[in-house]
Amino acid sequence: MNPLYLIFGPIILSALTALMGEKRGGTVRTIALLLFTGMLFYSLELLSLLPATGYLDLGSYLPVAQFNFELSLKVDHLSVIMLILTSLLLILVTLSSWTMKQATAYFSLLILFAGPISGVFMSTDLLWFFIFWELTLVPMYFLVGVWGAEGRIYAAVKFFLYTHVASMLILLAFFLIYKETGTFDITLVKESMLASPVLIWWLLFVGFAVKMPIFPFHTWLPDAHVQAPAPISVLLAGVLLKMGAYAMIRMVVLMMPEQSENFAWVILVLGLVTLFYAGFMALYETHLKKMVAYSSISHMGLVTVAIATLSYSGLSAALFEMIGHALIISPLFLIAGFLHHKTGSWQMGDMGGLMQKAPYLSALFVLAGLAALGLPGTMGFIGELTILIASIKTYGFWLIVVALASMIGAGYIIWTFRRVIYGEMSETVKKSDFGMNRVEFAALVIFALLIIGFGLYPSALFDVINSAFASLAPQGGL
């Protein structure tokens, strides 16, 4: 299949489905599900075609010879893993949104999101990468601003402004690269001589630090998570945050290794601050979804610490943690949103005794929560353990402090269990009906199976992940 279909096909399809009218909402939902399933199979096909190391060239399109600018599409293990993760999450988000109101407009925007996000992971041209990235913000803005809670407009505008300002820094860095090398091709920039590498590194680092986000650029995320509908929170945490981490690895660490080594201590310090600051904020929270949001930021701090090792093992651990975090945080957001929909409250103090009223839902929440705090047998344990080992190997035994974050995580997760799942049943829970649509419940079960499956057999994932950084293995670092 021509890879352009994967990028521009959904954009055209989105416009067509948006014209189908609200009465065809079920049809648009089915089209979205089929499209995302097709994306998943195409991504798996790409995985089977990849060389052991390096890129698989998918061709160059839309050339502008005068400016040495074209849509160059290449994928390697890192980008294909992100394509698979995105496709899988879009399928599960569709299932989780099965009863969403204004279905035609909602699923048309999800379809629109699928096109540029594929371009982000497939393009090796910096300018096209930027264009696709900005296009992903448009459907996300409307999904938060239209289907969100009471403060949705404020959250959507704040999300857009923060990420757009960060994008301007990134765009400035890209044009500096073009000015100094004469190319936007990411595969050529690493080998080119840059006249102002330090300035470019800082522009890229700050820009992508906002996108991840890491302290002190994180303040847009809790508002966006709290106001967004639960399935869109899954996309925010599982895809948009991972785009930031993907770009941090691809364009900061791998494209500019020398500057990254010089400023590795900056990445490490900000990662540690994010890890502990967000962990303590989660411990303090009584708002269920905001607690999950700060937990998500804390885990991105852990990913940042792994990136700061600049090593083969550290980057592999970071990628495993990114995938694990996406699969673990998603059911937590979905269940938090479901509980708010049923009880009308976000306060954990209003939800005691849920296990007695909704045991299966509570069991899934407990499983995801235990995975988030790093229970052995789940993906959370493997991700945190491998990051801890890689960090100590690079920076010494003092980085055992990373393990303390798990203790903070255990604090806010177990405290949440005590207030929401166990204890005496609250009046709010007694009066609420927790019946869930079977399709939406099936999505939660799939998340649970993946969390346990990759937790028990991490090698199935690591075999692919390690190939993403195989070229770094002989040196053990950059």
Side-chain angles (χ1 to χ4, degrees):
M1 184 176 77
N2 189 316
L4 290 182
Y5 295 157
L6 196 65
I7 299 172
F8 295 105
I11 296 174
I12 297 170
L13 186 60
S14 170
L16 295 175
T17 53
L19 298 174
M20 293 179 70
E22 192 52 41
K23 291 183 179 177
R24 299 286 183 87
T27 304
V28 178
R29 182 180 62 202
T30 303
I31 291 172
L33 189 60
L34 291 173
L35 172 69
F36 303 149
T37 304
M39 284 175 56
L40 179 61
F41 280 108
Y42 180 73
S43 303
L44 291 171
E45 183 185 1
L46 286 179
L47 182 64
S48 68
L49 297 174
L50 285 174
T53 59
Y55 288 96
L56 173 67
D57 193 345
L58 300 176
S60 297
Y61 309 88
L62 309 175
V64 183
Q66 184 179 358
F67 297 101
N68 194 22
F69 168 51
E70 61 185 4
L71 175 53
S72 175
L73 299 178
K74 297 176 185 174
V75 291
D76 60 2
H77 284 82
L78 178 58
S79 48
V80 171
I81 288 169
M82 298 307 297
L83 282 172
I84 293 172
L85 175 65
T86 301
S87 306
L88 180 62
L89 286 180
L90 281 170
I91 292 171
L92 295 175
V93 163
T94 301
L95 296 177
S96 303
S97 309
W98 207 248
T99 56
M100 187 65 71
K101 295 178 181 177
Q102 298 177 270
T104 296
Y106 178 86
F107 289 105
S108 293
L109 286 170
L110 279 187
I111 293 171
L112 175 61
F113 178 76
I117 192 70
S118 300
V120 167
F121 296 128
M122 296 172 74
S123 174
T124 54
D125 184 279
L126 293 173
L127 196 54
W128 273 106
F129 169 88
F130 177 83
I131 292 169
F132 290 136
W133 189 305
E134 290 303 288
L135 286 176
T136 63
L137 302 182
V138 176
M140 290 304 296
Y141 171 83
F142 285 107
L143 287 166
V144 175
V146 175
W147 283 267
E150 293 80 6
R152 58 187 180 276
I153 302 299
Y154 169 78
V157 171
K158 187 175 181 180
F159 155 73
F160 193 84
L161 289 179
Y162 259 74
T163 55
H164 194 61
V165 169
S167 296
M168 292 302 101
L169 299 179
I170 295 166
L171 183 61
L172 178 58
F174 287 171
F175 275 113
L176 280 174
I177 289 172
Y178 179 77
K179 179 186 175 186
E180 295 177 10
T181 65
T183 181
F184 282 117
D185 192 327
I186 190 173
T187 60
L188 300 177
V189 172
K190 183 179 178 180
E191 299 163 1
S192 303
M193 291 296 292
L194 292 169
S196 52
V198 174
L199 174 60
I200 292 171
W201 188 92
W202 275 103
L203 288 170
L204 291 176
F205 174 74
V206 174
F208 292 128
V210 175
K211 306 279 189 181
M212 284 185 68
I214 57 179
F215 181 91
F217 311 109
H218 65 286
T219 59
W220 62 271
L221 187 62
D223 287 325
H225 270 313
V226 168
Q227 300 301 329
I232 302 309
S233 288
V234 171
L235 284 184
L236 280 170
V239 179
L240 283 202
L241 270 60
K242 304 305 176 293
M243 280 167 59
Y246 164 84
M248 185 72 82
I249 293 173
R250 171 80 76 198
M251 297 182 186
V252 176
V253 174
L254 297 182
M255 192 172 76
M256 307 188 71
E258 187 177 337
Q259 287 67 40
S260 295
E261 285 191 27
N262 293 338
F263 296 110
W265 64 273
V266 175
I267 307 174
L268 177 64
V269 169
L270 290 181
L272 288 171
V273 172
T274 304
L275 177 64
F276 287 103
Y277 168 78
F280 280 116
M281 290 299 291
L283 194 61
Y284 171 78
E285 274 298 332
T286 58
H287 188 294
L288 180 58
K289 201 175 184 187
K290 197 173 281 187
M291 184 281 294
V292 179
Y294 276 113
S295 162
S296 179
I297 296 172
S298 180
H299 279 84
M300 292 311 292
L302 195 61
V303 170
T304 307
V305 170
I307 292 173
T309 65
L310 307 179
S311 66
Y312 165 74
S313 57
L315 294 179
S316 295
L319 189 50
F320 189 95
E321 175 68 15
M322 286 162 59
I323 298 168
H325 173 254
L327 298 177
I328 290 167
I329 209 70
S330 296
L332 291 176
F333 274 124
L334 290 173
I335 294 174
F338 178 77
L339 293 180
H340 173 254
H341 177 65
K342 294 297 182 180
T343 65
S345 174
W346 285 115
Q347 294 301 313
M348 289 188 251
D350 295 336
M351 301 179 188
L354 185 68
M355 180 64 83
Q356 302 170 49
K357 195 75 179 286
Y360 297 115
L361 190 69
S362 299
L364 289 172
F365 188 83
V366 169
L367 171 65
L370 292 176
L373 66 85
L375 180 75
T378 67
M379 291 188 78
F381 174 74
I382 302 298
E384 294 186 16
L385 180 66
T386 51
I387 288 175
L388 182 62
I389 293 172
S391 303
I392 291 175
K393 188 176 177 182
T394 302
Y395 290 105
F397 195 73
W398 72 272
L399 261 188
I400 193 72
V401 296
V402 170
L404 296 177
S406 295
M407 297 175 65
I408 299 171
Y412 61 72
I413 290 295
I414 292 174
W415 183 227
T416 300
F417 289 168
R418 172 67 183 83
R419 288 179 286 184
V420 177
I421 305 296
Y422 300 108
E424 188 176 346
M425 189 185 299
S426 69
E427 290 300 319
T428 305
V429 170
K430 282 180 185 176
K431 292 186 291 186
S432 303
D433 175 15
F434 293 100
M436 179 177 259
N437 181 289
R438 290 183 180 180
V439 177
E440 294 171 340
F441 189 76
L444 293 175
V445 172
I446 293 171
F447 277 119
L449 292 175
L450 291 171
I451 291 168
I452 296 174
F454 286 127
L456 294 176
Y457 301 102
S459 60
L461 194 52
F462 266 120
D463 287 346
V464 180
I465 286 176
N466 289 340
S467 299
F469 307 107
S471 60
L472 307 178
Q475 296 80 28
L478 299 178

